[in-house]
Amino acid sequence: MIVNSERTIALTCPACQGFQKHTFSLFSISKKPLQLVCSCGFSQGHLRRINKHFEVDVLSVEGDRARVLIPKGQFFAMPLVDLLSPLNGESLGYLGDPAHVQDRILDGQSAFSLTSDDFANPEVMRDILQLLEDLAEGDNIRCECEHPSIGIDVYPDQVELVCSYCGSMVQIEASTRRHQERLAKVGQIVMEPCTSHFLGEWLKPLT
Ligand SMILES: [Zn+2]
Ligand SMILES: [Zn+2]
């Protein structure tokens, strides 16, 4: 199965000057670039994964090429990232949770940027997201419903895995080393359709 977590990138198009949104799954981004083509037909650039970073390579509203590297952890964890041109600091657009990106476009105010302060324990959160990503890559996070489609919601002190098809959810505490150590022992997370449980009840240790 494919672990699915939606993200949206919204970019100002140099050709039509409008905001163009592109929505994609977090885990669908690979070394093969995702081409970002505006509805007016103008190719704005691409998004792709390079090792521990995601690369946004686009044309700014003034037509200058801008390349932004976003650390993987940030890309996963932050509901909204302000994309700024490294050349002159001008805004290129926004990247993040589709609802946050939409709000940001609508209100046009300065974005709130999540920093380490927003997590109860940033290091534990980073490690837990990495563990979850490793599990996902090995197809070890799944839901037993008919059409599993699992996304990740990140909160200051916990992560929720949610199946958008059946609504099943697993909460994973993510604020102490103990939480991290517990997750590190998990070989598989299998979600039951339409139920909500704490991870502790679903531990399937590596043996
Ligand atoms: Zn356009
Ligand atoms: Zn499901």
Side-chain angles (χ1 to χ4, degrees):
M1 76 155 251
I2 293 168
V3 175
N4 186 350
S5 196
E6 274 199 342
R7 288 290 184 278
T8 293
I9 184 167
L11 299 166
T12 322
C13 172
C16 68
Q17 305 282 308
F19 260 117
Q20 178 66 38
K21 288 190 288 177
H22 309 268
T23 296
F24 56 91
S25 161
L26 198 56
F27 294 104
S28 71
I29 304 301
S30 62
K31 288 190 180 117
K32 186 168 169 281
L34 173 75
Q35 297 300 333
L36 304 168
V37 180
C38 181
S39 55
C40 74
F42 185 82
S43 176
Q44 294 176 274
H46 70 248
L47 173 67
R48 68 172 167 171
R49 182 163 170 178
I50 306 176
N51 299 321
K52 298 269 176 209
H53 291 82
F54 287 87
E55 178 197 61
V56 179
D57 192 338
V58 294
L59 291 174
S60 75
V61 71
E62 273 145 32
D64 300 317
R65 186 167 171 232
R67 184 168 172 263
V68 182
L69 286 178
I70 303 163
K72 199 169 64 178
Q74 198 183 28
F75 194 93
F76 268 62
M78 290 177 57
L80 188 66
V81 178
D82 239 338
L83 296 170
L84 300 176
S85 166
L87 302 171
N88 51 19
E90 90 181 283
S91 176
L92 301 168
Y94 314 107
L95 169 71
D97 174 74
H100 281 91
V101 170
Q102 183 60 27
D103 286 354
R104 182 71 180 87
I105 291 173
L106 290 178
D107 72 20
Q109 291 171 9
S110 77
F112 65 94
S113 290
L114 273 189
T115 64
S116 297
D117 294 347
D118 293 295
F119 296 110
N121 189 331
E123 285 187 10
V124 165
M125 180 57 82
R126 189 194 59 210
D127 291 347
I128 280 186
L129 290 171
Q130 181 65 54
L131 287 167
L132 287 172
E133 200 206 346
D134 291 346
L135 284 170
E137 281 182 357
D139 270 351
N140 286 316
I141 297 179
R142 61 177 189 270
C143 177
E144 295 196 310
C145 70
E146 282 172 70
H147 302 286
S149 172
I150 300 173
I152 295 181
D153 291 330
V154 180
Y155 297 91
D157 58 354
Q158 73 173 29
V159 175
E160 288 178 4
L161 300 176
V162 183
C163 174
S164 60
Y165 180 74
C166 71
S168 178
M169 179 174 73
V170 172
Q171 293 172 306
I172 300 166
E173 293 171 282
S175 56
T176 69
R177 280 288 159 203
R178 245 184 90 76
H179 296 148
Q180 183 204 335
E181 284 160 16
R182 192 168 67 167
L183 184 64
K185 291 189 192 119
V186 174
Q188 242 181 11
I189 298 173
V190 179
M191 294 159 73
E192 259 190 14
C194 297
T195 57
S196 171
H197 290 281
F198 279 91
L199 175 68
E201 298 166 47
W202 291 101
L203 294 181
K204 291 208 172 178
L206 295 164
T207 45

